[in-house]
Amino acid sequence: MNRYLAPWALLPGGWAPDVLLEIDEAGMLTRIEPASSRDGATLLAGPVIPGMPNAHSHVAQRALAGRVEGAGPAGDSFWSWREAMYAFVERLDPESFEALAADAYAEMLEAGYTSVAEFHYLHHDRSGAPYARPAEMAERILAAARSAGIGLTLLPVLYRFSDVGNAPPQTQQARFVHSLESFEATFAACVHAGGGVSNVRIGAALHSLRAVAPEDIAPFIAIVDAHDSQAPLHIHVSEQEREVAACRARYGATPIEVLARHATLGARWSLVHATHATHDERARIAASGATIVVCPTTEANLGDGIFPAAEFLAIGGRIAIGSDSNVNLDVAEELRWLEYVQRLSLRRRRVLGSGAGSLGDELYARSAASGARSLGQPVGKFQVRHRADIVVLEPLEDESPPSLDTCIFKSGAFRVREVLVAGQMVVHGGAHVHRAVLRRRAGAARLRLVACTN
Ligand SMILES: [Zn+2]
């Protein structure tokens, strides 16, 4: 049993002073008591907030951040970016993948993300053949998450085709591709490797309606349900207008309509992006209890478009945030962009707040709770029987109680001092406790990848 005293803590009802947090051997919160005395508890050095779940990540793409901004011969777009990303992941071997992932997860923790949904489709070796262990690369993600100490929802991805209408996969997609049968084997291996592991949940994902056929959806769900009928299910959907147009042309329906025809949308579902969802589709998603995962800085980087978050929240929708391509690992910046693109689009201020309270507090708390739902993990708020994922911020000058308005809207003010995951300290003094060794391994992996030219 560990006991901490936070000078201020962001509880479900707002900021409270002198909050005692008791944590059991399993890393779960057993008592949360405002207005407590120190009484032998360890004093935390600043205001504390629940760790933010990161609801969408392709971890290896962190190594591409800032390196894919040049225009190709035909200009630059989501599709030309995708070619550059394929050329990079084509070279990744298991050791390099694990090293880069562990380093990126350490960076996420330093940023205040304490758990991550990893959307994993780099299944096979460089020739496209399965590894001797069908979940070799998934096991590397599990190992990376364990070395960094981040909570993980692992989402092995069903990926079959290169485009709507069962177009055969391109050579560069060979590492991603499964039949339903081989996906089932990989999924079972992921359950074997990660099921029952502390701070890990196994879910699954459909890559998109570009990469699977409508008739794959029901058997995919059956495979997952045989293990866990509540397991989180994710899908990229309606990210690009071209994808929506191709689905309409082929199926006479949008990607979200196709999904809803073949699956019962509900709390276990996360629809990633949904940028081009129609008004009716957004209402349907909100009513179903599914979460939309918005990835503001990646969507901006890729020129995807703007998800109408204000309208969706106003009808009771749930929005989680994801760092997606990992071009940006900064929780405050992600939330600021979520709000700012709405301001630019609607030409007014304070768009995503529902009441008169702090917009920053509300944005943070809502995104964290929706992120927890998306990951299917008991995190995202300080509540008994929830995991003790705790972010200690640098104290703000002259603010008592603290305000996440300052932390989110004043750039540079969201400064993470300490991070605990399941009660274990993984970031201390602003740096990951294994920062040096993880950074060195990732640096060596980058050199190997540069040396590997074919
Ligand atoms: Zn993605």
Side-chain angles (χ1 to χ4, degrees):
M1 168 87 70
N2 280 317
R3 302 166 80 241
Y4 292 96
L5 187 73
W8 289 95
L10 184 60
L11 302 184
W15 287 98
D18 300 321
V19 178
L20 181 72
L21 299 164
E22 271 186 10
I23 304 166
D24 70 10
E25 303 302 318
M28 306 302 275
L29 290 162
T30 51
R31 189 172 160 216
I32 299 154
E33 196 69 49
S36 293
S37 59
R38 185 165 174 189
D39 193 23
T42 304
L43 187 63
L44 295 168
V48 308
I49 54 177
M52 179 64 77
N54 180 354
H56 190 63
S57 162
H58 306 276
V59 67
Q61 291 177 22
R62 178 61 175 165
L64 279 178
R67 295 172 188 227
V68 280
E69 299 299 324
D76 198 26
S77 68
F78 171 86
W79 308 102
S80 58
W81 169 87
R82 193 178 70 157
E83 292 303 316
M85 182 269 287
Y86 285 169
F88 169 71
V89 300
E90 195 270 328
R91 303 201 300 263
L92 280 172
D93 58 86
E95 292 76 19
S96 304
F97 183 55
E98 181 181 334
L100 293 174
D103 187 47
Y105 288 151
E107 275 194 88
M108 285 183 198
L109 287 161
E110 288 172 346
Y113 290 116
T114 46
S115 52
V116 59
E118 185 61 38
F119 198 98
H120 167 60
Y121 54 89
L122 190 63
H123 298 299
H124 307 312
D125 74 13
R126 296 184 58 205
S127 72
Y131 286 101
R133 304 169 65 83
E136 169 79 45
M137 294 298 253
E139 289 170 13
R140 298 295 180 152
I141 293 171
L142 287 159
R146 189 166 55 243
S147 332
I150 198 166
L152 173 70
T153 291
L154 177 64
L155 303 167
V157 173
L158 177 63
Y159 194 125
R160 298 193 62 197
F161 306 112
S162 68
D163 210 342
V164 173
N166 306 3
Q170 300 166 9
T171 313
Q172 285 188 306
Q173 294 165 327
R175 299 191 70 175
F176 315 154
V177 174
H178 269 306
S179 64
L180 279 163
E181 293 71 26
S182 64
F183 173 78
E184 185 167 16
T186 296
F187 180 74
C190 289
V191 170
H192 181 72
V197 174
S198 299
N199 311 332
V200 170
R201 180 97 194 248
I202 306 295
L206 297 161
H207 179 274
S208 60
L209 265 303
R210 288 185 269 120
V212 302
E215 53 272 22
D216 294 330
I217 297 172
F220 161 84
I221 296 171
I223 289 168
V224 178
D225 282 359
H227 158 63
D228 176 359
S229 63
Q230 305 298 313
L233 299 171
H234 289 217
I235 182 171
H236 291 130
V237 76
S238 291
E239 178 179 9
Q240 293 286 322
E241 288 170 301
R242 187 172 112 181
E243 167 202 341
V244 178
C247 269
R248 280 194 198 278
R250 174 79 186 198
Y251 307 123
T254 67
I256 292 169
E257 286 166 348
V258 171
L259 178 65
R261 278 180 198 169
H262 292 84
T264 306
L265 295 180
R268 69 190 299 205
W269 277 95
S270 288
L271 279 58
V272 181
H273 306 302
T275 314
H276 303 289
T278 65
H279 178 274
D280 289 351
E281 288 171 346
R282 291 193 295 271
R284 180 175 194 164
I285 294 163
S288 77
T291 302
I292 289 184
V293 182
V294 181
C295 307
T297 61
T298 293
E299 288 159 10
N301 184 273
L302 297 178
D304 286 350
I306 296 173
F307 176 75
E311 184 208 294
F312 186 64
L313 290 176
I315 57 172
R318 292 170 183 81
I319 294 177
I321 57 166
S323 64
D324 194 358
S325 70
N326 296 310
V327 68
N328 175 56
L329 289 178
D330 181 325
V331 172
E333 190 174 356
E334 217 61 62
L335 293 172
R336 192 158 62 235
W337 271 83
L338 182 65
E339 167 74 18
Y340 276 0
V341 295
Q342 305 298 317
R343 292 188 186 188
L344 289 166
S345 169
L346 299 171
R347 286 175 274 177
R348 58 187 172 87
R349 300 190 73 227
R350 198 186 150 82
V351 175
L352 299 180
S354 63
S358 156
L359 172 61
D361 292 354
E362 183 178 345
L363 260 181
Y364 191 93
R366 288 217 293 206
S367 303
S370 296
R373 185 184 182 93
S374 176
L375 268 66
Q377 299 212 27
V379 295
K381 56 183 150 188
F382 292 137
Q383 192 167 300
V384 171
R385 288 188 293 280
H386 277 49
R387 200 162 71 219
D389 287 6
I390 299 169
V391 171
V392 184
L393 297 171
E394 289 287 349
L396 296 164
E397 288 173 24
D398 307 326
E399 284 207 337
S400 183
S403 163
L404 291 183
D405 280 353
T406 307
C407 291
I408 292 171
F409 293 103
K410 179 182 179 186
S411 65
F414 188 93
R415 289 183 293 139
V416 172
R417 184 167 182 152
E418 258 99 43
V419 177
L420 293 86
V421 174
Q424 300 294 315
M425 182 86 70
V426 290
V427 171
H428 182 67
H432 192 274
V433 293
H434 304 311
R435 160 52 58 227
V437 64
L438 295 178
R439 184 52 48 89
R440 194 165 59 242
R441 284 184 197 151
R446 275 191 204 90
L447 288 176
R448 282 201 300 278
L449 291 169
V450 169
C452 165
T453 51
N454 60 9

